[in-house]
Amino acid sequence: MTMFTIWLLALFSVSGVLLPVEATHHVYRNLQSLSSDSSNQPYRTAYHFQPPKNWINDPNGPMKYKGLYHLFYQYNPKGAVWGNIVWAHSVSTDLVNWTPLDPAIFPSQPSDINGCWSGSATLLHGDKPAILYTGIDPMNHQVQNLAYPKNVSDPYLREWVKSHKNPLLAPTSANKINASSFRDPTTAWLGKDGHWRVLVGSKRNTRGMAILYKSKDFVNWVRAKHPLHSAQGTGMWECPDFFPVLNESPLGVDTSVNGDNVRHVLKVSLDDKKHDYYLIGTYNAAKDIFTPDKGFGDDIESVFRYDYGKYYASKTFFDYGKNRRILLGWVNESSSVPDDIKKGWSGIHAIPRAIWLHKSGKQLVQWPVVEIEKLRANPVNWPTKVLKGGDLLQINGVTAAQADVEISFEVNKFGKAEVLDYWMDPQILCSQKGSAVKSGLGPFGLLVFASKGLQEYTSVFFRIFRYQHKNVVLMCSDQSRSSLNNDNDKTTYGTFVDVDIIHEKLSLRTLIDHSVVESFGGEGRACITARVYPTLAINDKAQLYAFNNGTSGVKITRLSAWSMEKAKI
């Protein structure tokens, strides 16, 4: 369950013992039940998942069951800010078009009476689903609960029954678990010893950790002697996710698979940073220890992130029908709370992504699920052409506010690359060297949501540097000129992309959908998602360009663009 930015400190008593309870809610109690039915909705997306109105955050318990994809998610049925949280529920046959059902889990027993927060689904023996989720009890302690379908023969899983033994896991004076930092159980995996294992995110002071529990029957859980993994200085680990990936194969595997051909990924959503970080490493199943190839260490920002923009509280699941692992994530707004209330909604989900281990073994690759391509229409293809320094070429023939664009560049003249004297945070580098700042090789890329006269635009681009005699690729998403409305957060995002540009084309794919820009660089080795709210470049007033603001030319080896049809959501 994601938390927010105001620190509260309280003390609650359990059996006469005081337990520290910390929280980081940004609570708008007077706004939790306010919503708007505004008909002017230039920022509502056409093919990203979002409910018709109100607040949405974390994806919960995604799974495939009897041919249907199930998505549960944190939802406020009464307003456009966080509060009144239930598990809303939608189903799909293709991860693109979604049918809403009634909420699956909502406060109804003491162990969740103050909220039903995030959790995960596990398919038990006989493919019977079970959900573990965090509930907020009458003392506002975070506890873990179990729910299971009332009717397993119903492919829609419309009704869920809560265990009478809830809560299954709870903070006590004996276990000294932080009562406000104990949440978001993972999908469980089955060990060779016949015991299920599950992780729950927590922290002790500033040490973030994934607490490990084991169970034979999925009801009675025993805490392991040590966390699966922990790291000092990282703060609360929200929405942990732990799963295997195959060496040298894009195929996914079931969460319980282990072996010589498998690496493991531990993803944590860092509450202090509001970003999703992942570690690749080795899982010793006998000792229940995860050892990352490279840990958090002294520099959190040196650890890979799923996405270098707006992307949080993500969750994967194994799609057994297509042997792939699917990643879902929450993309929150960059607009102000008053603007969210005015438009009557807040939050969307990113396009589901297939995720696998890159052939180098060093990082993960993400790519929009192939089903999204069914929405493509009216293709536009350019022949190979040189984009000279200063060129700005409009991409005509597509709906620029609702599009999918793939472009590849060939770069040479590496001697023209700007020298990077010392290593810098790529986000800061992108902020200092936006799309208006010329260099030898770059910036070149796309201008999206561009207004006539370019008073507004968002730029997604590459810039090539020379650092310690090697070529370095910087990818940026620059929102600084995205809107004339200065109440929006217009932070610029950036990351370095591990691409050998001497032997590889430099590719960029960008999904554009009214107020969201999802970009995939280096064939999915780097992802940046941004939220933008132009005042001029909306709907049919938006324009789309390829540009090169560097002094050296680059070759466009491929440009394909499509208008995107509206999904049924």
Side-chain angles (χ1 to χ4, degrees):
M1 172 65 197
T2 54
M3 310 281 282
F4 293 88
T5 51
I6 294 180
W7 283 97
L8 304 169
L9 185 64
L11 288 173
F12 291 90
S13 176
V14 179
S15 304
V17 179
L18 291 176
L19 290 176
V21 179
E22 298 172 353
T24 50
H25 278 352
H26 207 131
V27 180
Y28 302 90
R29 298 203 184 280
N30 59 324
L31 305 177
Q32 286 180 0
S33 298
L34 279 182
S35 65
S36 167
D37 292 317
S38 173
S39 58
N40 181 26
Q41 294 285 357
Y43 307 127
R44 275 198 70 83
T45 60
Y47 59 93
H48 284 72
F49 182 84
Q50 63 177 132
K53 62 179 182 179
N54 298 330
W55 169 275
I56 178 179
N57 55 296
D58 310 8
N60 292 156
M63 63 176 158
K64 192 171 190 180
Y65 184 70
K66 292 187 181 297
L68 287 176
Y69 295 103
H70 289 258
L71 171 62
F72 306 90
Y73 55 95
Q74 298 281 282
Y75 179 64
N76 178 0
K78 297 182 178 179
V81 300
W82 183 90
N84 314 301
I85 294 297
V86 303
W87 275 47
H89 185 195
S90 292
V91 294
S92 174
T93 59
D94 59 8
L95 295 169
V96 176
N97 303 288
W98 293 89
T99 301
L101 302 175
D102 290 340
I105 299 175
F106 43 85
S108 65
Q109 60 179 203
S111 61
D112 66 10
I113 199 64
N114 284 325
C116 298
W117 290 7
S118 288
S120 302
T122 301
L123 292 176
L124 306 181
H125 301 294
D127 286 338
K128 293 180 180 178
I131 283 174
L132 290 171
Y133 69 98
T134 299
I136 309 302
D137 73 8
M139 293 178 290
N140 285 321
H141 293 171
Q142 297 170 14
V143 299
Q144 313 315 317
N145 299 310
L146 171 64
Y148 47 89
K150 186 175 181 179
N151 178 8
V152 294
S153 66
D154 175 17
Y156 290 91
L157 299 175
R158 291 177 179 88
E159 293 184 78
W160 290 79
V161 177
K162 297 174 185 177
S163 172
H164 68 276
K165 292 191 175 183
N166 286 340
L168 306 187
L169 306 171
T172 66
S173 57
N175 62 33
K176 297 181 181 178
I177 290 174
N178 188 325
S180 71
S181 297
F182 179 55
R183 56 186 177 270
D184 310 338
T186 63
T187 296
W189 70 97
L190 189 62
K192 291 182 179 179
D193 58 2
H195 285 78
W196 290 99
R197 287 157 170 81
V198 72
L199 304 178
V200 181
S202 189
K203 71 171 181 177
R204 184 179 298 123
N205 298 318
T206 64
R207 176 176 286 276
M209 62 185 64
I211 301 176
L212 176 68
Y213 290 88
K214 301 179 188 179
S215 175
K216 190 78 172 173
D217 60 6
F218 220 79
V219 175
N220 298 288
W221 294 87
V222 176
R223 183 180 176 182
K225 292 180 180 178
H226 50 74
L228 181 83
H229 192 61
S230 67
Q232 184 62 40
T234 53
M236 175 62 193
W237 286 7
E238 295 192 295
C239 303
D241 199 11
F242 186 60
F243 57 91
V245 288
L246 290 174
N247 279 315
E248 300 180 359
S249 173
L251 296 178
V253 289
D254 181 82
T255 306
S256 297
V257 168
N258 201 358
D260 293 339
N261 64 334
V262 160
R263 306 303 313 281
H264 272 79
V265 176
L266 176 64
K267 187 276 309 186
V268 292
S269 301
L270 294 189
D271 191 23
D272 291 352
K273 295 285 188 177
K274 295 294 181 287
H275 298 305
D276 282 11
Y277 297 79
Y278 70 87
L279 306 170
I280 299 170
T282 302
Y283 169 48
N284 184 324
K287 296 181 178 179
D288 278 319
I289 285 290
F290 172 74
T291 304
D293 297 341
K294 179 181 179 184
F296 281 105
D298 296 326
D299 182 13
I300 290 175
E301 296 308 325
S302 68
V303 174
F304 281 114
R305 283 163 48 184
Y306 278 163
D307 193 295
Y308 290 83
K310 290 263 186 181
Y311 195 89
Y312 195 63
S314 61
K315 176 66 189 164
T316 67
F317 72 99
F318 175 55
D319 179 1
Y320 60 83
K322 298 194 174 179
N323 289 322
R324 58 183 177 176
R325 183 157 289 272
I326 302 296
L327 172 68
L328 304 172
W330 168 47
V331 183
N332 66 339
E333 302 298 314
S334 295
S335 49
S336 65
V337 171
D339 281 352
D340 292 344
I341 293 168
K342 184 178 178 181
K343 68 182 190 273
W345 55 271
S346 178
I348 64 171
H349 284 179
I351 296 300
R353 303 171 181 177
I355 184 168
W356 66 92
L357 183 66
H358 186 259
K359 61 185 178 182
S360 68
K362 296 178 182 178
Q363 67 167 109
L364 298 176
V365 177
Q366 302 163 65
W367 199 249
V369 292
V370 68
E371 288 89 338
I372 201 70
E373 296 173 16
K374 293 190 300 183
L375 299 178
R376 287 173 167 176
N378 305 321
V380 170
N381 295 291
W382 281 7
T384 299
K385 63 176 67 181
V386 174
L387 204 57
K388 291 181 261 178
D391 274 357
L392 179 68
L393 303 181
Q394 187 166 358
I395 303 169
N396 293 307
V398 296
T399 52
Q402 195 171 310
D404 183 359
V405 185
E406 294 189 32
I407 187 169
S408 294
F409 299 97
E410 185 179 288
V411 181
N412 45 43
K413 299 183 181 177
F414 296 111
K416 301 284 188 180
E418 181 179 347
V419 174
L420 194 61
D421 294 322
Y422 54 91
W423 197 254
M424 285 184 66
D425 180 322
Q427 181 166 346
I428 294 174
L429 195 54
C430 286
S431 299
Q432 293 176 351
K433 295 180 179 292
S435 58
V437 179
K438 291 181 182 292
S439 73
L441 286 175
F444 55 87
L446 297 172
L447 293 189
V448 305
F449 292 116
S451 66
K452 187 177 181 180
L454 299 183
Q455 290 172 278
E456 293 179 334
Y457 59 85
T458 296
S459 49
V460 186
F461 62 87
F462 297 112
R463 190 186 293 270
I464 314 299
F465 291 95
R466 194 79 177 158
Y467 176 71
Q468 294 182 350
H469 309 293
K470 294 181 180 179
N471 297 312
V472 176
V473 178
L474 179 70
M475 175 179 169
C476 304
S477 184
D478 180 359
Q479 288 70 243
S480 61
R481 303 188 186 193
S482 61
S483 177
L484 297 179
N485 180 356
N486 290 321
D487 290 335
N488 299 319
D489 172 10
K490 295 189 277 188
T491 301
T492 291
Y493 307 124
T495 184
F496 294 112
V497 191
D498 187 8
V499 176
D500 178 4
I501 53 171
I502 294 177
H503 301 104
E504 291 181 68
K505 304 287 192 295
L506 189 52
S507 72
L508 174 66
R509 181 179 181 185
T510 297
L511 297 170
I512 305 159
D513 193 3
H514 294 278
S515 65
V516 60
V517 183
E518 275 190 87
S519 298
F520 301 81
E523 298 180 328
R525 277 169 274 185
C527 309
I528 304 178
T529 300
R531 301 301 305 279
V532 295
Y533 313 89
T535 62
L536 303 175
I538 59 177
N539 296 327
D540 61 355
K541 300 293 193 298
Q543 297 177 345
L544 177 63
Y545 296 89
F547 81 97
N548 177 13
N549 201 29
T551 58
S552 299
V554 295
K555 182 186 289 186
I556 297 176
T557 59
R558 179 200 174 199
L559 185 144
S560 297
W562 299 265
S563 300
M564 293 294 275
E565 295 176 347
K566 185 175 173 60
K568 297 180 178 67
I569 300 176

